[in-house]
Amino acid sequence: MAERKHGRPAPPTETTIISADWDGRTVTGERHTRVLFRDVDMTELVNHRSVFEECTFSNVRFNVSTHEDAAFINCTFRRCSFFEAAFIGCKLTGSMFDGCSFGLLKAEGGDWSYVGLPGADLRGSTFSEVRLREADLTGARLAGAQVRRCDLSGAWLHSADLSGCDLRGSDLSALDPQVTTVKGAIIDSVQATTVATALGFDVQW
């Protein structure tokens, strides 16, 4: 499956689902390609192993929904809400989020590489053992969030706010404390060495 890099236009959609009520619905193993979902209510949706490829979600409510071993490949999310949504072992490679709300979003495992989350308000969200390689977190607000044991290698963190964020166990090789707010961020001793070395310190034990 092709991976969409940051800034590339969303693929054109071929079919449209408008104002559908998927509230509380359970979907298993479904596949949707190049579908535009507009004003769809997916509140409390339970999604097992379904695949959405090159789809666009516009003003879709994902609140309190659960997605397990599902895939959203090269999808675009515009003005969607994800309050208390949970993504467990999901693949969101190359997907882009624009103007979305994420209150208490939870992600466990899975691959979010190349995901675009510029300026996203992710305060209070939880990411655990998620692959976020080369994710665009430019200007993202992660104050007080948990980003534990995540792969942030190559991630774009310029102007991101990581104050008070629990980063223990995550790859911080792309972090530049001079252009990212890190006051009160929680890291472990190994990460402290990585950050100090990046700042030019000669760390000796």
Side-chain angles (χ1 to χ4, degrees):
M1 296 180 180
E3 294 176 338
R4 179 157 60 94
K5 295 292 186 177
H6 311 309
R8 288 181 57 185
T13 53
E14 298 170 353
T15 57
T16 302
I17 296 176
I18 301 177
S19 301
D21 184 4
W22 289 24
D23 187 350
R25 178 178 168 183
T26 297
V27 296
T28 301
E30 293 189 7
R31 188 175 191 95
H32 301 272
T33 302
R34 293 197 169 187
V35 178
L36 168 60
F37 295 87
R38 179 183 294 163
D39 300 319
V40 176
D41 186 0
M42 295 190 179
T43 302
E44 296 187 347
L45 174 76
V46 177
N47 171 15
H48 297 289
R49 301 184 303 280
S50 294
V51 177
F52 299 83
E53 185 173 4
E54 297 188 343
C55 292
T56 295
F57 299 85
S58 179
N59 196 35
V60 174
R61 294 179 294 283
F62 289 93
N63 302 326
V64 204
S65 60
T66 301
H67 309 267
E68 187 170 358
D69 297 324
F72 296 84
I73 309 299
N74 290 338
C75 291
T76 300
F77 300 87
R78 297 192 181 109
R79 300 181 302 281
C80 297
S81 57
F82 294 90
F83 179 74
E84 288 193 348
F87 292 85
I88 304 169
C90 293
K91 184 173 184 178
L92 282 85
T93 312
S95 290
M96 181 72 183
F97 295 82
D98 180 16
C100 298
S101 57
F102 301 93
L104 304 180
L105 173 76
K106 180 180 180 180
E108 294 183 1
D111 191 349
W112 291 50
S113 298
Y114 309 107
V115 161
L117 287 159
D121 186 351
L122 294 163
R123 290 175 293 181
S125 296
T126 300
F127 290 85
S128 176
E129 299 183 339
V130 179
R131 191 180 190 193
L132 286 157
R133 297 191 66 179
E134 297 189 45
D136 184 358
L137 293 166
T138 305
R141 289 177 284 174
L142 285 150
Q146 294 189 45
V147 185
R148 299 286 307 274
R149 299 180 299 280
C150 292
D151 182 358
L152 288 165
S153 56
W156 302 3
L157 297 167
H158 193 281
S159 299
D161 182 3
L162 301 176
S163 56
C165 182
D166 188 345
L167 297 163
R168 286 176 292 178
S170 293
D171 183 332
L172 300 181
S173 57
L175 175 66
D176 182 353
Q178 299 181 83
V179 296
T180 304
T181 302
V182 295
K183 183 178 181 180
I186 303 170
I187 59 176
D188 57 36
S189 57
V190 175
Q191 293 169 310
T193 300
T194 299
V195 173
T197 301
L199 289 172
F201 287 97
D202 180 7
V203 180
Q204 300 185 17
W205 299 94

